[in-house]
Amino acid sequence: MGDGYGYNENTCFFDRRKRCASIRFWILMVFIYLSGVIFASDVSGQNMEEKNVLPPMLQEQVTLTVRNLDSTRGVMHYAGRILRYDRTGVEILTSERNRIILMPEQIMRVDYQRSIPQRNAEEMYIQKNYKTAVMLFKEAREQERRPLVRAWLTEKIIRCYRNLEQPAEAVMEFLKLQESQPEMTDEMFSCIPLLWEPNIRDTVTAGKVANIYREQRTGITQLLYGSYMLSSAERQKAIQVLKAVSRGKDIRLATLAEAQLWRVTEPGELSEKITEWTKVLERIPVCMRGGPTFIMGRAWLQMDNKDMAVLEFLKVGTVYHQVDPFSADSFINAARILEREGQKEEARTVYRDILLKFPDTRAVLEAEKWLAENP
């Protein structure tokens, strides 16, 4: 029955049912929408967390071989992603989602995906074919997009140039490395191409370094300037620059600058200074002690302490071995002292080591000649 207002009991029942169904439909839609928002927010949050946790340094899975400093276990292996790799520490996110922070000196090896040019370059480097290696490392770097791997490749390029005795190229590459990795590890930083021989002049490299120093005054450019200008007409200015760096807050720059100044020590001051040098050497990271140790060897030789001189020279080529020509020169110095002191068998051993360890250096010619004359 209806009324004057168009009311009908039958139609009202169905209208109410329709309205209820409509309400239930919109409640369901709201629920689905809110669920989607919550889910999307959760996924977005996870992605943001992932982005924060995994910077684009080396996001792929890698395996690190690590030296255990507490000596309970000699070597450990971690699989995960590298979050941070600098002088303050190496942080990794393991496969089990655990964060582990290691000291840089603990890292013995990092296994990661390498390109074919990089694998070939590393093989050439092991064979001491540095001329081919440097070209392959550069090819690998051009193809590489991972910042940390690019830094490792640049480090190898610098070491190739140092072994090829091309310091100007090594300096330019090191400045690139410093720009991309300002907080690089000590091991990586140890490839810095400084001069350690007292009276060696490299006018080509010195000219480039001087120009860079005039354009950009940083701790690195000051250290390089002082190193290459100590044997030039700008010696006094180089000394002032190195002294300024030695008073700086960066410990590795300061200690290396101080060690560079050892090159200009007067012979009469050596006996007094050598004890101080030993203390400074202890503050220098082990991987950077080769050059300062070479200077200490020369100082002991000037003070006529042949045994200590031989010991320091041999350390450069064994304990602190980084650059073949530099290490080979240290071995040559040790062999000459042993020969002059009548210790021919010991000298023979060192000369033979030069042939085995440094086959592509100039020192080989002297070693071969001596061994031929002293069968």
Side-chain angles (χ1 to χ4, degrees), residues 212-246:
I212 294 168
Y213 169 75
R214 294 186 187 99
E215 295 173 1
Q216 186 180 8
R217 302 287 178 90
T218 66
I220 293 294
T221 59
Q222 288 177 310
L223 179 60
L224 289 167
Y225 173 85
S227 180
Y228 284 91
M229 292 299 174
L230 269 184
S231 299
S232 73
E234 297 183 34
R235 170 174 170 152
Q236 291 305 316
K237 183 178 179 180
I239 291 174
Q240 293 175 3
V241 170
L242 287 172
K243 284 182 177 179
V245 177
S246 70

Side-chain angles (χ1 to χ4, degrees), residues 125 128-131 155-167 170 321-328 357-358 360-362:
Y125 190 88
K128 300 183 183 294
N129 185 346
Y130 300 117
K131 189 173 182 180
E155 177 192 354
K156 284 293 188 180
I157 290 169
I158 295 167
R159 296 195 188 281
C160 284
Y161 277 135
R162 292 193 66 187
N163 282 306
L164 291 168
E165 299 182 86
Q166 298 179 27
H321 176 218
Q322 290 286 348
V323 181
D324 284 355
F326 188 61
S327 299
K357 295 181 178 181
F358 318 113
D360 296 325
T361 62
R362 293 172 297 176

Side-chain angles (χ1 to χ4, degrees), residues 305-316:
N305 190 328
K306 309 292 196 311
D307 291 339
M308 286 299 297
V310 169
L311 178 63
E312 299 295 347
F313 283 135
L314 291 179
K315 278 184 186 177
V316 175

Side-chain angles (χ1 to χ4, degrees), residues 76 97 131 176 235 258 329 356:
M76 295 180 294
R97 305 294 294 177
K131 189 173 182 180
K176 293 179 186 177
R235 170 174 170 152
E258 189 170 350
D329 288 345
L356 293 172

